[in-house]
Amino acid sequence: MIAAPATGRKKPIPLTLLTGFLGAGKTTLLKRLLRDPAFAGTAVIVNEFGEIGLDHLLVESAADGIIALSSGCVCCSIRGELVEALERLLRAIDNHRIGDVRRVVIETTGLAEPGPILRVLVTHPYLRLRFAFDGVVTVVDALHGLKTLDAHEEAVKQAAVADRIVMTKTDIAGADSSALRARLAALNPLAEIIDARDGTIADALTGIGAADAAAYGFSAEAASHEHAPVGSLSLAREAGMTEGALAAFLERLGTEFGDRLLRVKGLIGISGEEKPAVIHGVQGVYSPVLRLGGWPDADHRSRLVVIGRDLDRGRIERLFDGFLNEAKPDTPDRVALTDNPLAIAGFSFGKR
């Protein structure tokens, strides 16, 4: 008997979300990328707000791999259409109706909030098998970026959840772009900020590593940065967690802060093991917890960054320490038992 050849699971296709406010230069950047030989085999899904779609007509270098969505904003009213579009693309790939696709880029409308889109990509069982989410790239207009961040909450959210921020029009803005860069760094200390004029433009959408702990660049010491209404908190601790405590911590964090959480990223030591866990969440949606083969550098502390609105920094720090079982040496026993995120609900000391 001749054994049937093993088909094996198809290698997931890297998928990048390209976002940025209206007029930031997303389509122009995408056109430049698709002309780069490094981006051969890239399929593009373009979302436009309005009844007449034009952007997909402007990305001429990959016409046979473009799907245009123009029935509404991809972040809300057409998430079902986005799933259908990705499934149609996969069928076309599997049936060899289009050429080899090595990468997929979703370009959102300028009014889109990335969170709901990521919820689809992270939670859909089939799409999770076929696509490897590579991260969020946010394009920011250096000429108008500060005013846009002041006036539009969508622009703030787009910058806050980015893995990489690409600043465009810096040649026009000149030295004024330094203030915007500082604002973006305070808003999202996790994101790498690059100038669209620098280096090979293909670097903007490759090697992002949304869940790669080696890309962590936040301070090892507890620190905070804030530009109202969005702020960030960075923590580092010597202790680790059990897997169960980590799951409970993420659930508790989501329960207490809900949609105020824009971004959560962490490298957490697992008690008794040498393989740390990587956590990555956007607007309450967490990717599956990944385990690295080892620590990416000499710093083996558990590290956490939280970006969100109206954050209670003290509460987040107490939660983190509580699940890490991090002792507070100067805390009185009575306070340690009652002011503890893991304290028994309703527990109190009785009066003598």
Side-chain angles (χ1 to χ4, degrees):
M1 180 181 293
I2 300 176
T7 56
R9 178 179 295 179
K10 294 180 181 294
K11 185 177 180 180
I13 302 170
L15 185 151
T16 305
L17 187 63
L18 178 64
T19 188
F21 202 71
L22 297 167
K26 297 185 298 298
T27 301
T28 300
L29 177 67
L30 189 56
K31 287 174 64 176
R32 290 177 60 192
L33 288 167
L34 293 176
R35 294 191 186 107
D36 191 308
F39 267 73
T42 297
V44 180
I45 294 178
V46 178
N47 174 229
E48 300 176 77
F49 192 83
E51 296 180 357
I52 300 176
L54 296 176
D55 283 358
H56 66 287
L57 303 177
L58 304 177
V59 191
E60 69 285 342
S61 61
D64 61 341
I66 285 185
I67 300 174
L69 307 178
S70 58
S71 62
C73 177
V74 75
C75 70
C76 47
S77 60
I78 60 165
R79 278 175 284 178
E81 187 179 346
L82 175 62
V83 171
E84 292 175 3
L86 289 169
E87 290 177 339
R88 288 201 308 273
L89 176 62
L90 290 172
R91 286 195 295 271
I93 294 170
D94 294 342
N95 296 332
H96 306 290
R97 285 187 277 116
I98 63 175
D100 182 34
V101 173
R102 288 182 268 172
R103 175 173 293 275
V104 174
V105 176
I106 300 175
E107 181 195 356
T108 75
T109 172
L111 298 175
E113 295 183 9
I117 306 170
L118 297 178
R119 186 181 299 274
V120 171
L121 300 176
V122 170
T123 61
H124 193 284
Y126 181 57
L127 297 183
R128 283 175 55 184
L129 287 175
R130 297 299 304 272
F131 293 106
F133 180 64
D134 195 37
V136 179
V137 175
T138 298
V139 180
V140 177
D141 174 357
L143 191 60
H144 304 105
L146 286 172
K147 291 182 179 179
T148 301
L149 290 171
D150 287 337
H152 301 283
E153 179 69 12
E154 297 92 341
V156 173
K157 290 182 178 180
Q158 290 166 359
V161 302
D163 292 284
R164 180 170 291 155
I165 296 174
V166 179
M167 292 177 57
T168 60
K169 308 179 188 177
T170 52
D171 53 334
I172 304 173
D176 292 339
S177 61
S178 60
L180 175 60
R181 182 181 288 268
R183 170 84 175 269
L184 293 170
L187 178 65
N188 185 349
L190 291 170
E192 177 188 9
I193 303 175
I194 66 174
D195 190 322
R197 298 178 300 171
D198 295 341
T200 304
I201 194 60
D203 293 342
L205 262 72
T206 57
I208 301 167
D212 182 0
Y216 281 62
F218 48 84
S219 170
E221 301 300 327
S224 64
H225 310 271
E226 181 173 7
H227 193 107
V230 176
S232 64
L233 173 68
S234 300
L235 300 170
R237 299 289 188 265
E238 296 288 347
M241 294 185 187
T242 64
E243 289 186 349
L246 177 56
F249 168 70
L250 294 177
E251 181 178 358
R252 186 69 172 267
L253 194 65
T255 299
E256 292 202 19
F257 292 92
D259 59 6
R260 286 185 286 164
L261 294 175
L262 296 178
R263 186 73 180 275
V264 177
K265 227 177 182 185
L267 178 59
I268 309 298
I270 300 299
S271 301
E273 299 187 26
E274 293 298 322
K275 296 181 178 181
V278 178
I279 56 174
H280 180 73
V282 177
Q283 293 185 226
V285 180
Y286 290 94
S287 300
V289 175
L290 299 178
R291 298 291 292 276
L292 298 183
W295 291 90
D297 55 26
D299 188 351
H300 291 188
R301 289 180 295 179
S302 295
R303 286 163 274 173
L304 178 76
V305 171
V306 180
I307 302 173
R309 298 187 303 272
D310 300 322
L311 296 177
D312 183 339
R313 288 174 170 77
R315 180 59 179 166
I316 294 174
E317 187 171 1
R318 289 193 298 274
L319 278 174
F320 193 50
D321 289 342
F323 283 95
L324 285 168
N325 197 25
E326 185 86 344
K328 298 293 187 182
D330 297 326
T331 303
D333 291 345
R334 181 181 294 254
V335 175
L337 287 172
T338 56
D339 186 19
N340 186 313
L342 306 183
I344 300 172
F347 172 81
S348 63
F349 284 96
K351 294 183 180 179
R352 292 185 177 180

